[in-house]
Amino acid sequence: MHILYVDDSGSVSDPTQRYFVLGAVSVFERGIYHLIQQADECIATFGFSDGADVELHATDMYGGRGQPWSSIKKRADRENLIHCSLATLTNASQSVRLFAVAVDKAAVSPRDAIEVAFEELCNRFNLFLQRIKNRTGEDNRGLIVMDESKHEKPLQNLARNFRVNGSRWGQFRHLAEVPFFVDSKATRLIQLADLVAWSTFRKYEFSDGRFFDPLLSRFDQDGGVLHGLYHARGSTLDSCFCP
C-alpha cells in the first residue's frame, strides 16, 4: 500500500492571498519507518534539548513563531533548518514521490478551491497507482492521510461521493478508503507534507522558488512528463512561470 500524507498552505478565505495549495508526500508502506527516522535524525542536528517534541511547521519556522523557533533570532538560520528538513525528501528513496496542486482561487471560482485541489490530487495519486499496476502487475492500493482541519467533514463527504459517483475523470479505483485525519504533531510525515505545501505556496504566491526548486525532481514524473504537480489557473493562454 502507498500512503499519501497531505497538508495545505494558504487560506481559502483570505482575499489578499491568490493561491491555495495542497502538498503531499507518497510513501510505500515499508518505507514509512525509514523516512520518519531520517526526519528525526535531521531534527536531532538542530541542537534542541528534546527533538521529539519539535514539530516541523514551515510557517512557524520561517516566521520564528512559537517555541523553539522564536529562540532562533536570525531568519537565515531558520531558513537553513527548513532546507535541512526538505533534504529529508530530496535524499529519500525513489519510492518517495511528491505531489502538489496550486489553485488560483479567482480562476476556478465559483468552484471551491479546496474541492478543486483535492479532486486533482486524488486523480494524480490514483493515476500514479494505475501506472504501477500497468508496469508491474502489482495492484497497490492508496490511502490518504491528512492533517486535522476545518476541511475534514467536507473532504470526507467529497471522497465518499467520488467513491459512489466517480469524479469528472471516472472512479478512483485504487483509493482504499476516505481520507483519515490525524494531528500533525503526532506524525513526521504530515509535517513533511506541510513543508511541501508551504514551499509550493511560496513558489506560486511570491515567486520564491528557493525552497520549492530543490524538490522539483522528486515530484511524480514519468517519461519526462511532470504528473505530480498541477497548476489550476485561468485560460491556458495566460502566461505561466511554473514547470
Side-chain angles (χ1 to χ4, degrees):
M1 177 173 281
H2 291 258
I3 316 298
L4 189 73
Y5 295 89
V6 182
D7 205 349
D8 62 78
S9 188
S11 170
V12 173
S13 59
D14 187 346
T16 67
Q17 294 181 356
R18 181 177 178 182
Y19 281 94
F20 173 80
V21 172
L22 286 182
V25 179
S26 170
V27 189
F28 186 62
E29 57 184 292
R30 287 198 296 268
I32 293 174
Y33 169 80
H34 300 289
L35 191 56
I36 292 173
Q37 187 177 46
Q38 290 164 18
D40 285 342
E41 290 172 354
C42 170
I43 293 171
T45 68
F46 291 178
F48 299 127
S49 58
D50 190 355
D53 289 336
V54 174
E55 180 180 4
L56 298 175
H57 189 268
T59 301
D60 292 344
M61 295 172 75
Y62 186 75
R65 298 181 217 162
Q67 289 297 330
W69 312 115
S70 61
S71 65
I72 304 173
K73 302 306 179 183
K74 294 182 180 179
R75 173 171 285 179
D77 293 338
R78 298 195 303 271
E79 289 182 1
N80 287 335
L81 298 185
I82 295 175
H83 282 297
C84 176
S85 304
L86 291 171
T88 301
L89 296 170
T90 57
N91 297 329
S93 71
Q94 289 303 309
S95 66
V96 176
R97 302 290 181 94
L98 305 184
F99 294 81
V101 179
V103 179
D104 185 330
K105 297 184 293 184
V108 302
S109 181
R111 291 194 67 195
D112 186 331
I114 298 172
E115 292 186 3
V116 172
F118 182 66
E119 184 178 24
E120 192 64 58
L121 191 70
C122 289
N123 177 48
R124 289 174 184 274
F125 185 44
N126 184 69
L127 291 174
F128 163 67
L129 297 171
Q130 181 63 53
R131 197 166 68 241
I132 293 176
K133 181 178 180 181
N134 292 343
R135 292 195 174 161
T136 67
E138 298 177 5
D139 193 9
N140 288 301
R141 296 295 173 181
L143 187 66
I144 296 175
V145 179
M146 303 186 73
D147 185 20
E148 289 176 334
S149 71
K150 59 186 177 183
H151 310 318
E152 180 171 348
K153 185 172 182 179
L155 288 183
Q156 284 186 333
N157 291 338
L158 187 63
R160 290 189 189 97
N161 184 59
F162 290 160
R163 187 174 61 189
V164 174
N165 301 315
S167 70
R168 53 184 168 147
W169 295 284
Q171 299 283 347
F172 295 144
R173 300 187 183 280
H174 298 284
L175 302 188
E177 248 292 5
V178 296
F180 289 89
F181 290 81
V182 299
D183 184 347
S184 62
K185 293 180 180 179
T187 166
R188 287 286 182 227
L189 298 187
I190 287 289
Q191 295 169 29
L192 292 178
D194 171 84
L195 292 172
V196 173
W198 178 84
S199 299
T200 306
F201 177 78
R202 288 203 63 85
K203 173 71 171 180
Y204 285 86
E205 187 75 15
F206 303 112
S207 299
D208 178 5
R210 291 174 299 152
F211 307 96
F212 173 85
D213 292 346
L215 297 176
L216 187 57
S217 64
R218 299 314 305 263
F219 280 87
D220 180 46
Q221 50 192 290
D222 182 66
V225 178
L226 190 60
H227 298 289
L229 178 66
Y230 182 73
H231 180 191
R233 57 197 178 99
S235 168
T236 55
L237 298 177
D238 293 346
S239 61
C240 179
F241 60 82
C242 80

